[in-house]
Structure formats: C-alpha cells, structure tokens
C-alpha cells in the first residue's frame, strides 16, 4: 500500500507542475507530458505544494553549447606581376633588303604575308623570352599558312640597336641564309622583338 501511495503522490506532483508552468518552453512541456503519460493509478488531490527538490528534477538541463566551426582558408597566393610587354617591329628594312638581293640575282620579289609575319613575331618573341636564338617549329608553322610545300626561316640577333643592313650583309655572307633569301619562295614575313637584355631578336619566315 505504501508503494501505491508513493506512485500516486508522484503522479500528483507531475500534474501540478503541468498546471503551474503553462508558459514553459516547448521542450519542457514535451518532457512533462511524456512523464505524466506513465501514470497508471488515480491521482489524489495534494494538500500541500510539491517540494522544490522534486520540481528541479523535472526541468531539463540547459543545452550544452556546441563549439562553433570556423573555416580555415589557405593563405592567398600573391598575384604574379604581368610580364613586361615586348617591343615588336614588323618588316622594318629587312623585307626591302631581301628583295634588293633577289632583284640583283634576277629573281622576282617576295610579297609580304601577314600569316608569316605573325609566325615571325611568335618566333622572335620566344627567342627574346629565352635570351638566345634557336630554331624551333617555325618552318612547320609556316606550312600552316598554306602558301606551298617549301618553307624557310632565318633568325638572328643584335645588341643595343637594330641594324637591318648589317644583318642582311651577315645573312648574304652565310650559305644557308643566302639560300633562303634567294630561294624558290613567293612570300615573306619579318619581325624584330626586343628582349629584356637590350638585345633585339629577328625572325624571317619564307613561304
């Protein structure tokens, strides 16, 4: 019988709490309702207010604060400075000097071709960037201009200034370069490009 009264007293305490705190947070009301649902016996009226220590057991503990997640971003890489612009000179006097050489040899002059000039500019810019002269794929690129099945390329460099006459004299004094100038071509493109070492690099494309 003592056991029965204890359960009845607990049920009465639970019901009083449900009436005493109607404005509690939704989580508290849910907890009280779930606790009241386990009562299986008639609930007698209470002659005294429930003890405070019993009320405390029905109040849910405050939520445990969760640690905030902070995104750690990798450090920003510095933006690289743009490369210095290269000075370009198309044609200059080299084209005219080549046609003078061909005229003296009884050959037809070479016509200017923008496609070959673009390739000459690319080749000269490549040499200016690397700081030395070298043949790469210029003659293969010349074939992409669809001017014929034969192509040729002369390259060179000068320090301090551009002297087309001196460069032309050097070309004509060297058998492979002279063969290109006087070769069976119909078009030409020429470009000088200045490098950062105060040196100008020349590319002459034949097609």
């Amino acid at each position: 019988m003592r056991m029965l009264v204890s359960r009845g007293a607990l049920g009465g305490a639970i019901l009083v709490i449900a009436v005493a705190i109607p404005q509690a947070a939704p989580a508290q009301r849910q907890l009280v309702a779930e606790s009241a649902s386990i009562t299986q016996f008639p609930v007698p009226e209470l002659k005294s207010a429930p003890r405070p220590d019993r009320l405390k057991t029905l109040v849910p503990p405050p939520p445990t604060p969760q640690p905030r997640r902070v995104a750690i971003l990798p450090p920003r890489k510095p933006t690289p400075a743009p490369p210095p612009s290269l000075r370009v000179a198309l044609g200059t006097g080299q084209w005219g000097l080549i046609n003078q050489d061909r005229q003296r040899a009884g050959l037809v002059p070479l016509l200017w071709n923008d496609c070959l000039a673009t390739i000459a500019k690319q080749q000269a810019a490549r040499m200016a960037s690397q700081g030395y002269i070298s043949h790469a794929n210029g003659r293969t690129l010349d074939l992409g201009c669809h001017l014929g099945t034969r192509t040729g390329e002369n390259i060179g460099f000068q320090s301090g200034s551009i002297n087309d006459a001196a460069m032309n004299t050097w070309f004509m004094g060297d058998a492979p370069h002279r063969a290109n100038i006087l070769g069976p071509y119909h078009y030409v493109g020429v470009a000088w490009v200045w490098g950062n070492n105060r040196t100008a690099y020349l590319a002459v494309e034949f097609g």
Side-chain angles (χ1 to χ4, degrees):
M1 185 62 181
R2 183 177 302 172
M3 187 65 131
L4 180 61
V5 171
S6 297
R7 290 186 180 176
L10 175 60
I14 294 170
L15 289 177
V16 169
I17 293 164
V19 173
I21 52 175
Q23 301 299 327
Q28 294 177 348
R29 287 200 302 270
Q30 186 178 6
L31 178 60
V32 172
E34 289 174 0
S35 299
S37 67
I38 64 172
T39 302
Q40 300 177 1
F41 300 96
V43 180
E45 294 183 2
L46 292 177
K47 295 182 180 179
S48 60
R51 291 186 355 206
D53 57 346
R54 292 187 179 180
L55 286 175
K56 291 180 181 177
T57 59
L58 297 177
V59 178
T64 304
Q66 297 295 325
R68 295 179 61 187
R69 293 183 178 181
V70 179
I72 301 176
L73 300 176
R76 274 188 174 184
K77 294 182 179 180
T79 304
S85 57
L86 299 173
R87 287 189 297 159
V88 180
L90 295 177
T92 63
Q94 199 68 212
W95 177 28
L97 293 170
I98 289 173
N99 280 337
Q100 288 180 14
D101 296 331
R102 292 178 64 86
Q103 185 179 10
R104 282 192 289 267
L107 302 172
V108 297
L110 300 181
L111 301 177
W112 181 264
N113 183 267
D114 288 334
C115 181
L116 293 176
T118 299
I119 296 170
K121 178 182 173 182
Q122 294 173 359
Q123 293 293 86
R126 173 184 56 79
M127 294 186 291
S129 297
Q130 68 189 18
Y132 58 89
I133 62 172
S134 64
H135 290 286
N137 57 345
R139 286 163 291 184
T140 302
L141 293 174
D142 293 341
L143 290 173
C145 295
H146 305 291
L147 302 174
T149 58
R150 296 177 61 95
T151 62
E153 179 182 68
N154 285 353
I155 58 175
F157 72 95
Q158 288 183 340
S159 298
S161 63
I162 292 176
N163 187 330
D164 280 297
M167 182 60 70
N168 176 259
T169 299
W170 191 93
F171 282 157
M172 290 298 289
D174 182 73
H177 295 88
R178 179 186 175 91
N180 276 338
I181 291 175
L182 303 180
Y185 303 114
H186 303 282
Y187 302 94
V188 69
V190 182
W192 287 92
V193 175
W194 283 92
N196 295 326
N197 54 358
R198 292 184 53 82
T199 301
Y201 294 84
L202 171 67
V204 183
E205 307 297 327
F206 299 91

